[in-house]
Amino acid sequence: MAHGTRNPHGVALIGDLACAMRERLDVDVSVAFVDVLGPSPSEALARLNRETTVVPAFLGRGYHVRRDIPEHLSRLGLPPTRVTDSLGPSDEVLAALVDRLDEGGRRRGDAVVLAAAGSSDSMAVADVEEVADRLSSLVDAPVTVAFAAPSPHVAHIPSVAEAVSRTRGRVAVASHLLAPGLFQSRLCESGADVVARPLGLHPLIVDRACALAAQPVTV
């Protein structure tokens, strides 16, 4: 279950992630979106009509993960479901962020901006700030959190362009996004020296999704 986007490349990426999971796990993997386009989680589950494991394809534990998905799954007449953790925060996401930065051309000594989509949800903000702290240790450089869509309720986190303009020297932007789309385009227009690609189908992201789906059920 992913957020949803009007960008066809973003939609295709979620489909490709499901395909990669299907091939590795040898099980049926369907796609649902909590916003923007369908099928919705409840629509997808109604079509399956059998016990299902739900993997939230989100990089943090914000509103969509804690509220939207459970609301969909609680509707009457749906099959039993098991909901796993979200893709992030996780060690796999952190390692994939470093790889994307390095393949994008990050140099030793570059300042780093961790660019997330943006949220006013306190847990989502805490998650991305935790990722920034851990990423700073991995790249041995200061890491500033920024939002592609800043929230007026989280005034201490700037837009990506603002974070880049305030930083001296070379700046590398780490994309804390899963798929291409409007938010990634804002990263590319931020004026940074390096802009990493979205995490997308990085092998570690596929590993994380498959590991979540394959976790044994605990009673």
Side-chain angles (χ1 to χ4, degrees):
M1 292 185 181
H3 181 276
T5 175
R6 291 183 178 86
N7 184 290
H9 299 294
V11 176
L13 186 142
I14 298 302
D16 290 343
L17 176 58
C19 183
M21 295 173 66
R22 185 181 305 118
E23 291 177 356
R24 183 179 302 186
L25 300 173
D26 193 26
V27 296
D28 183 25
V29 182
S30 301
V31 170
F33 300 98
V34 299
D35 200 2
V36 182
L37 74 164
S40 70
S42 51
E43 289 170 341
L45 287 167
R47 293 174 189 174
L48 290 171
N49 196 31
R50 62 180 181 273
E51 189 169 348
T52 303
T53 295
V54 173
V55 179
F58 291 84
L59 298 176
R61 299 165 293 179
Y63 184 88
H64 293 302
V65 172
R66 299 196 332 274
R67 301 287 180 86
D68 278 347
I69 291 177
E71 180 182 328
H72 276 279
L73 303 189
S74 67
R75 296 179 185 177
L76 294 176
L78 296 181
T81 57
R82 176 180 73 92
V83 183
T84 74
D85 290 337
S86 52
L87 295 177
S90 65
D91 292 342
E92 292 89 344
V93 167
L94 276 161
L97 284 168
V98 175
D99 279 354
R100 287 289 194 241
L101 280 169
D102 289 345
E103 73 180 19
R106 180 185 72 94
R107 300 177 186 171
R108 184 173 180 81
D110 287 354
V112 174
V113 171
L114 179 67
S119 177
S120 59
D121 182 276
S122 59
M123 183 169 285
V125 174
D127 278 349
V128 75
E129 289 178 332
E130 176 191 341
V131 171
D133 286 342
R134 295 179 63 189
L135 182 62
S136 179
S137 297
L138 292 175
V139 299
D140 193 25
V143 175
T144 301
V145 173
F147 284 163
S151 168
H153 303 291
V154 192
H156 68 286
I157 297 185
S159 71
V160 181
E162 288 171 339
V164 170
S165 67
R166 295 174 187 174
T167 305
R168 293 183 177 181
R170 278 176 52 93
V171 183
V173 172
S175 179
H176 194 254
L177 302 171
L178 194 61
L182 174 63
F183 290 162
Q184 181 67 23
S185 69
R186 292 180 180 174
L187 273 55
C188 294
E189 296 164 0
S190 67
D193 299 279
V194 170
V195 177
R197 292 191 293 146
L199 297 176
L201 295 180
H202 189 287
L204 289 171
I205 299 300
V206 177
D207 288 348
R208 171 68 171 168
C210 291
L212 290 170
Q215 282 177 351
V217 178
T218 55
V219 179

